[in-house]
């Protein structure tokens, strides 16, 4: 009988313990009944000969009950505390039972063919799609995913993330030379006239600024004229400079072949060539790049950008009404709808899941099965005995009860046959 106090057992185990005790009492009651019947029949059989049949049945019932009691008890402990060989099997062979159970599970349940056959008969994608289609389920998945993502973000060290960003930036941005790829890229832009739009935009922006900021030209040139020049001449010079600037920009805007445009084209073409082939130009670009990335201000901006992004993500993940969470729920519902309607997608998903499961089983089935072996090995022998007895002890008590009944019938049959064959027995 389990020694663990009733209060320490889980509710299911408490119910199993009560059922076990009831069945033990019934099996013991059957044995006592057979013993009483045997005594009465043995005492009165000479006066009432028919009681000899009762005596034989009771005698066989007692033998069957005692034999099955011994067999059931020997599984869990030594009967009557006697050191009888091959008793207390479970506590004495606990580790071997655990290894055998682990091997059984590994061989018969974690085999690739078993997993593939089971998954092939299960419409995984269809069931998942039907489940995800329901808004409550999609919201639940989004909530669980948000909780996991929030946990990961909170667990990340800001210093480690900054160091990782710095290392990645140096590996992929700083260490590679920018000159040749930038020059090739710029060369293709110039050859395809893709830069013309940028020049048009710049000319339009300058024209708009000039129109809105005529006062900025007051004194721009005239303040550099000698003091003896009349003030009227100052005003004339400033107006002339302003109008010439406006006329120049308008001419650039109107003429696709304006000398200024051609000069820009030539400069960009030379720059593209120099970036690819001129060591001096390439070295200047690399120095400027290194100075930019080594600037403390750039590092501070990167750290600030990470902190801002992290805090924004955490707030959005925590708010069920945030656009991020709502879009995640909508996306999950759309995935569920596609999984229920797209047969080709269902086949692909089922195939992916099946192949992934088979791969994991083939690669890790021994490790998975070892959980059983290691867990059983860590159990205390008495605790193991109690656990197993609680799980199967009630059914084993039926064996005792059946042994009593079968023994009684066997005893009655043997006595009846013997009495018929050998009269006077």
């Amino acid at each position: 009988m389990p020694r663990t106090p009733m209060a320490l057992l889980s509710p299911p185990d408490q119910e199993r313990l009560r059922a076990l005790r009831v069945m033990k009492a019934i099996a013991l009651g059957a044995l006592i009944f057979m013993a009483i019947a045997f005594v009465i029949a043995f005492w009165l059989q000479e006066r009432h000969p028919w009681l000899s049949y009762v005596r034989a049945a009771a005698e066989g019932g007692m033998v069957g009950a005692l034999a099955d009691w011994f067999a059931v008890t020997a599984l869990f402990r030594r009967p009557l505390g006697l050191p009888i060989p091959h008793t207390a099997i479970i506590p004495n062979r606990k580790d071997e039972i655990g290894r055998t159970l682990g091997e059984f599970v590994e061989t018969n349940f974690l085999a690739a063919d078993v997993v593939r056959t089971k998954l092939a008969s299960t419409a995984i994608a269809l069931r998942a799609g039907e489940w995800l289609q329901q808004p409550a389920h999609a919201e639940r998945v989004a909530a669980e995913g948000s909780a996991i993502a929030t946990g990961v973000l909170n667990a990340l060290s800001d210093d480690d993330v900054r160091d990782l960003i710095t290392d990645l930036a140096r590996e992929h941005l700083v260490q590679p030379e920018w000159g040749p790829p930038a020059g090739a890229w710029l060369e293709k832009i110039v050859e395809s006239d893709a830069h013309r739009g940028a020049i048009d935009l710049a000319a339009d922006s300058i024209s708009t600024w000039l129109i809105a900021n005529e006062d900025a030209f007051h004194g721009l040139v005239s303040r550099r004229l000698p003091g003896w020049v009349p003030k009227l001449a100052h005003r004339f010079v400033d107006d002339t400079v302003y109008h010439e600037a406006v006329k120049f920009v308008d001419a650039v805007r109107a003429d696709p072949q304006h000398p200024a445009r051609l000069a820009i084209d030539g400069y960009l073409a030379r720059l593209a060539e120099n970036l690819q082939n001129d060591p001096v130009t390439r070295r200047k670009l690399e120095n400027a790049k290194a100075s930019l990335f080594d600037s403390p201000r750039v590092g501070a901006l990167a750290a600030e950008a990470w902190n801002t992004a992290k805090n924004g993500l955490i707030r959005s993940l925590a708010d069920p009404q945030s656009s991020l969470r709502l879009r995640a729920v909508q996306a999950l519902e759309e995935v569920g709808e596609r999984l229920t309607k797209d047969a080709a997608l269902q086949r692909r998903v089922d195939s992916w899941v099946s192949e992934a499961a088979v791969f994991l089983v083939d690669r890790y089935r021994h490790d998975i099965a070892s959980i059983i072996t290691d867990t059983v090995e860590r159990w205390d022998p008495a605790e193991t005995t109690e656990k197993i007895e609680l799980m199967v002890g009630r059914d084993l008590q039926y064996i005792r009860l059946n042994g009593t009944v079968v023994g009684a019938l066997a005893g009655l049959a043997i006595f009846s046959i013997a009495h018929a064959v050998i009269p006077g027995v």
Side-chain angles (χ1 to χ4, degrees):
M1 184 70 68
R3 302 184 186 87
T4 304
M6 191 77 163
L8 298 181
L9 296 175
S10 64
D13 283 345
Q14 291 179 12
E15 185 61 33
R16 293 188 186 101
L17 180 56
R18 282 191 288 267
L20 174 60
R21 288 172 174 172
V22 170
M23 282 308 305
K24 280 190 172 184
I26 293 174
L28 179 60
L31 173 59
I32 294 173
F33 174 78
M34 289 297 174
I36 293 173
F38 173 78
V39 171
I40 294 173
F42 186 82
W43 180 36
L44 299 175
Q45 64 181 348
E46 293 183 358
R47 187 182 308 174
H48 304 285
W50 62 271
L51 287 176
S52 59
Y53 291 91
V54 176
R55 185 211 69 193
E59 188 175 9
M62 285 192 298
V63 172
L66 290 172
D68 286 341
W69 166 82
F70 181 89
V72 171
T73 303
L75 286 173
F76 304 104
R77 58 189 61 84
R78 297 188 184 279
L80 302 177
L82 300 175
I84 302 173
H86 303 293
T87 58
I89 295 173
I90 290 176
N92 290 333
R93 302 180 62 185
K94 170 181 66 71
D95 294 346
E96 183 179 348
I97 293 173
R99 287 192 297 271
T100 303
L101 181 59
E103 292 173 0
F104 176 78
V105 171
E106 179 179 353
T107 304
N108 295 280
F109 293 93
L110 298 179
D113 293 340
V114 174
V115 175
R116 183 178 283 108
T117 301
K118 177 61 179 177
L119 293 178
S121 63
T122 305
I124 300 174
L126 178 61
R127 292 184 180 182
E130 292 174 346
W131 190 84
L132 276 177
Q133 265 190 310
Q134 302 181 30
H137 294 163
E139 291 173 3
R140 178 181 175 184
V141 173
E144 295 295 337
S146 299
I148 294 173
T150 300
V152 171
L153 288 172
N154 287 326
L156 290 175
S157 168
D158 292 342
D159 293 335
D160 292 340
V161 172
R162 285 194 292 268
D163 292 341
L164 176 62
I165 294 175
T166 300
D167 293 341
L168 291 175
R170 289 194 175 280
E171 180 180 355
H172 298 286
L173 294 177
V174 179
Q175 292 179 2
E177 188 176 0
W178 282 13
W185 177 71
L186 180 59
E187 184 178 24
K188 292 180 179 179
I189 290 177
V190 174
E191 289 177 352
S192 62
D193 288 337
H195 64 294
R196 294 296 176 90
I199 295 176
D200 292 339
L201 177 62
D204 292 340
S205 300
I206 294 173
S207 176
T208 301
W209 184 87
L210 287 173
I211 294 173
N213 295 274
E214 181 178 358
D215 293 341
F217 281 79
H218 293 168
L220 182 64
V221 177
S222 60
R223 70 169 61 97
R224 292 172 174 80
L225 295 176
W228 50 268
V229 176
K231 294 295 183 182
L232 182 62
H234 288 198
R235 179 67 177 178
F236 175 77
V237 170
D238 290 336
D239 289 343
T240 300
V241 171
Y242 171 73
H243 290 297
E244 288 299 324
V246 172
K247 287 168 56 179
F248 176 79
V249 173
D250 289 342
V252 171
R253 294 174 63 196
D255 185 5
Q257 299 298 322
H258 193 278
R261 288 180 177 268
L262 298 179
I264 293 175
D265 293 347
Y267 170 77
L268 293 177
R270 290 192 302 274
L271 179 60
E273 175 68 19
N274 291 339
L275 286 173
Q276 297 180 76
N277 302 306
D278 182 28
V280 176
T281 304
R282 290 163 59 176
R283 186 168 56 253
K284 289 180 179 179
L285 177 61
E286 292 302 311
N287 292 336
K289 177 186 69 176
S291 299
L292 174 64
F293 280 97
D294 290 339
S295 171
R297 179 57 182 165
V298 173
L301 287 175
E304 183 178 351
W306 160 248
N307 290 331
T308 301
K310 174 183 175 181
N311 294 331
L313 276 174
I314 291 176
R315 285 193 300 270
S316 296
L317 291 170
D319 182 8
Q321 300 303 317
S322 67
S323 59
L324 178 62
R325 286 279 295 271
L326 294 176
R327 289 176 182 175
V329 172
Q330 182 180 2
L332 289 169
E333 292 179 3
E334 291 174 355
V335 169
E337 183 176 0
R338 283 199 60 194
L339 286 175
T340 57
K341 296 181 178 179
D342 191 337
L345 179 60
Q346 291 175 14
R347 289 191 295 270
R348 289 198 299 271
V349 172
D350 289 342
S351 176
W352 294 336
V353 173
S354 179
E355 292 303 320
V358 170
F359 170 78
L360 292 174
V361 165
D362 278 340
R363 190 177 184 88
Y364 299 107
R365 64 177 182 173
H366 181 71
D367 297 326
I368 296 171
S370 67
I371 295 175
I372 299 174
T373 303
D374 296 341
T375 301
V376 174
E377 287 179 352
R378 287 195 299 269
W379 283 350
D380 177 75
E383 180 185 0
T384 304
T385 302
E386 291 183 4
K387 287 179 179 292
I388 297 177
E389 187 174 10
L390 281 176
M391 295 300 297
V392 301
R394 180 173 179 270
D395 294 326
L396 292 177
Q397 298 309 309
Y398 279 105
I399 295 178
R400 291 179 55 190
L401 186 60
N402 293 337
T404 304
V405 176
V406 172
L409 295 175
L412 178 61
I414 293 171
F415 180 81
S416 299
I417 293 172
H419 193 71
V421 174
I422 308 175
V425 174

